[in-house]
Amino acid sequence: MTEQIPPRWASETFWKKTAIWVTGGSFVLLVILSFDSMKQISAGGPRVPAYSVINKDVSYRFDKAKQRYQPTIGDDAPLFGKTLSEEEAEKLVDHGKKTVQAKNCMNCHTLLGNGAYYAPDLTKAWLDQGWGAKESREQMMVNFLLDPEKNARTYGSNRKMPNLDITPPEAEAIVAFLKWMSSIDTNGFPHNFIALGEEDK
Amino acid sequence: MTLQAYQEKTAACWAGCKQTHAEFMANPNLSGGQKLAVHYFTVAMVLFMAQLLFGLLAGLQFIFPSFLYEILDFNVNRMVHINAMVVWLLYGFLGSVYWFLEDESGVEIVGLKWGQLAFWVLTGAVTIVVLVYLLIQIGSGTDTSLWLINEGREYIEAPRWADIGIVVVMLTFFYNVAATFSKGKWSGIAGVLTLDLVALAGLYLAGMFYVTNISVDQYWWWWVIHLWVEATWEVLVGCIMAWSLMKLLGVRRKVVQTWLYIEVALMFGSGILGLGHHYFWIGTPEYWFTIGGFFSALEPIPLVAMVVHSIYDAGAHKFKNSNHPALAWIIAHAFGNFLGAGVWGFMHTLPQINLYTHGTQWSASHGHLAFFGAYATINIAFFYLAAQQARGNVWMGGGLANGWRWKTAAVLLNLGVMGMTVALLIAGYEQSFIERAVEGSTWAGYFAAQNHPWFMQAMIWRMVFGLMTAVGGGLLFWDLLEIGKGEQRPAAVIDSEAVNP
Ligand code: HEM
Ligand code: HEM
Ligand SMILES: [Fe+2]
């Protein structure tokens, strides 16, 4: 039998070379973009504020020009009444982040929209109206984390957060982490979210 | 029971296990690599059952929130559910590659002893990790917790010590694959497979460090998750499919390999930059809207191509094949991959839609159909290939004794997962509208959506179909233990086009 020679576009070698070039090209582009993204999302960069942002008032407002919500950074509003240096703030947020991982929060909640769907998103938890008033918010959050069963607000769902043996220093660190996270520019996610204190603006 | 009676019972049980294992190792129908593969498949099936069990527990907690509250909380059940899944699918892949490595290379596996050792080490480690998840569950906010208990990052929660163990095992596996192909034949499949495994293992490293900055954390976390399931795993199953189509249907190597290269080009060409569909809302720059939206929207193309390819091949060979259950599951794979990943993925991949669906049950709907349709199915096909060979390469065509069992299991599993997917899709739409669009994503808005009758009904339907899935899974396990036993007829012989065009 005579083997028919396939056209070039249907030959094995043509597609082998194409596969190699396409893969290599895409990967190189991804690496270049990753370098740029890392620069832009490093803490203190243009999109992710430095950890000391926890010394400031953070909010979330609609930007008319961009037609989407954006975090805003306002006047001094030190967390737990203490103004922290950049290093102290980083240490506190770091402790909070580590606790969030060790307690496995992400398998009930979403953070930046990623995780599990059994409990509310934590991206803007710091800004949620559920905390009632800005003055009492910090303490309410700490109390909640220390005893979520007693302080449960299940909105009629009966879904209660379990007690995760969070210590008082861990609770404060988590609150610092949540406050810092709420200041990240997430391109308008979540949409239409009215932050605490922005109700009638 | 007295202590002595208990000790006697365990000793007898242990002796029984050793006896069964020794008999299995003496099975003349299987090569060394295939025996190792069956080890992997066995643990994979056990973990699959665990996945279903913990899925049911987590699903029930949506309906009865106080069920197992502060005993096995939702986060524990869910972690075991998705970790069991990742691990059983990886076990299945390792097993599948060991299954065909000797056939494809034409020589015996070079480091079989190392492969066996790695299997026992990995299985021991998995057992310890699961026990710690269940008994210790969480730690304090320190590095020690992340090293010993769990890392708290979805899908790759395994503590750091286990990460290192996994990398060592993967290196052993990689050595076996590369060295065996080097000693024998390097086919096109061998080349793609080897390079793909380098990438797959390398990517895991991107998930093995801790950072404070959550945007940076999730950036690299997605390298592991997305570049696994939408790039390297897809190509890995492409290699497995290529080999299966040759074996099961007798398709010509040249055709299969050309298709494999086309699929690699399309899959990597869209999937690598398609990663950007996870970079819309985590703090990353706006250019990811365009890049992520565009390239991920192209990802369904290779999945369509795979359906066309496998259905064409099956039709061209008049569906004549030597293993009906395996072919049925391969067809389920082609359609499941297309529907779960291609269609369901495409539906929420553009940022304009994803702004509302991101992090809702919509994602869970897609996650279930994609993981089941793309990856569970092809592994199950290989379990059937292994069952056939282990019982003496017996007949597995029409008129099989107890053939109702594999068919019922397949129907229950596929219908069950499809039903759960649709229930979650409804819940996801409801959440996108009520929580996101109407209520503006506050906590009150979240619970308004969760308490809505439409959501609660969807959760009940998910449980109904979840039970169906679990029954199908149990039946599948039973069938795999029994199918082909006592069958006298030899397997149908497939003419290869290469021999008989
Ligand atoms: C077999 C391949 C695939 C598997 C196994 C898979 C699985 C998943 C899973 C489990 C998630 C949820 C992740 C989480 O827990 O946060 C997810 C998210 C996502 N997938 Fe896929 N996927 C696949 C292919 C695709 C494809 C081809 C597309 C697009 C065409 C796609 C689009 C998406 C999008 C946009 C999200 C983000 C959802 C959100 O914003 O919450 N996926 N995928
Ligand atoms: C008995 C059947 C099953 C039940 C009842 C079940 C239940 C669940 C539940 C309750 C969750 C948590 C979702 C949330 O966070 O709200 C979940 C997550 C998940 N399950 Fe299942 N499941 C089952 C079978 C499966 C199967 C067969 C697969 C795939 C092979 C699978 C893959 C997943 C994935 C990938 C996630 C994470 C989804 C995401 O984060 O978007 N499940 N499942
Ligand atoms: Fe993805």
Side-chain angles (χ1 to χ4, degrees), chain B residues 389-401:
Chain B
Q389 186 67 32
R391 295 184 182 132
N393 197 19
V394 291
W395 176 260
M396 283 217 183
L400 199 59

Side-chain angles (χ1 to χ4, degrees), chain A residues 12 34 36-37 41 47 68 94 97 101 103 107 112 114 117-119 128 155 159 161 163 170 187, chain B residues 69-70 78 139 141 151 157 210-213 217-219 257 280 283 286-287 358 443 446 450-451:
Chain A
E12 203 175 328
S34 295
D36 181 73
S37 291
I41 65 176
R47 305 186 53 90
R68 68 167 187 239
D94 180 70
K97 169 76 164 18
Q101 285 186 225
K103 301 294 178 190
N107 268 308
L112 304 178
N114 293 311
Y117 321 117
Y118 189 69
D128 202 87
Y155 296 87
R159 252 185 253 168
M161 180 163 143
N163 191 325
E170 284 174 347
N187 285 338
Chain B
Y69 178 69
E70 292 188 344
R78 187 186 195 273
E151 270 184 65
E157 288 94 344
Y210 167 84
V211 281
T212 309
N213 185 332
D217 177 330
Q218 293 201 350
Y219 190 92
Q257 287 191 172
F280 300 152
E286 287 169 43
Y287 51 71
H358 179 51
W443 286 29
Y446 171 84
Q450 301 289 308
N451 293 335

Side-chain angles (χ1 to χ4, degrees), chain B residues 30-200:
Chain B
L30 299 176
S31 70
Q34 291 177 330
K35 280 179 193 153
L36 182 52
V38 173
H39 280 75
Y40 277 107
F41 293 159
T42 310
V43 177
M45 268 314 283
V46 172
L47 288 169
F48 183 25
M49 296 302 112
Q51 185 203 355
L52 296 176
L53 173 67
F54 283 89
L56 289 174
L57 296 183
L60 266 177
Q61 287 172 323
F62 268 96
I63 304 171
F64 307 108
S66 47
F67 176 60
L68 294 177
Y69 178 69
E70 292 188 344
I71 300 164
L72 280 177
D73 282 310
F74 181 86
N75 59 344
V76 176
N77 293 327
R78 187 186 195 273
M79 171 167 67
V80 176
H81 177 60
I82 58 178
N83 277 216
M85 173 189 74
V86 173
V87 176
W88 89 257
L89 293 177
L90 281 172
Y91 264 67
F93 292 150
L94 260 64
S96 302
V97 173
Y98 274 129
W99 183 264
F100 69 70
L101 189 52
E102 289 168 326
D103 182 84
E104 184 66 12
S105 65
V107 295
E108 283 186 9
I109 289 174
V110 172
L112 188 61
K113 281 265 162 326
W114 289 107
Q116 286 164 340
L117 181 68
F119 165 81
W120 291 108
V121 169
L122 185 62
T123 305
V126 169
T127 313
I128 297 172
V129 169
V130 172
L131 286 176
V132 170
Y133 280 174
L134 290 174
L135 301 175
I136 303 184
Q137 301 182 351
I138 49 173
S140 58
T142 55
D143 287 318
T144 320
S145 301
L146 307 189
W147 272 89
L148 299 180
I149 302 171
N150 91 58
E151 270 184 65
R153 295 166 82 211
E154 199 191 0
Y155 302 109
I156 47 176
E157 288 94 344
R160 193 65 45 78
W161 72 266
D163 289 346
I164 295 170
I166 289 167
V167 170
V168 172
V169 168
M170 284 305 288
L171 286 175
T172 320
F173 173 62
F174 176 73
Y175 164 78
N176 263 333
V177 173
T180 307
F181 280 130
S182 304
K183 196 170 155 207
K185 290 193 298 272
W186 269 106
S187 61
I189 297 180
V192 175
L193 179 66
T194 308
L195 289 177
D196 191 59
L197 288 174
V198 178
L200 201 157

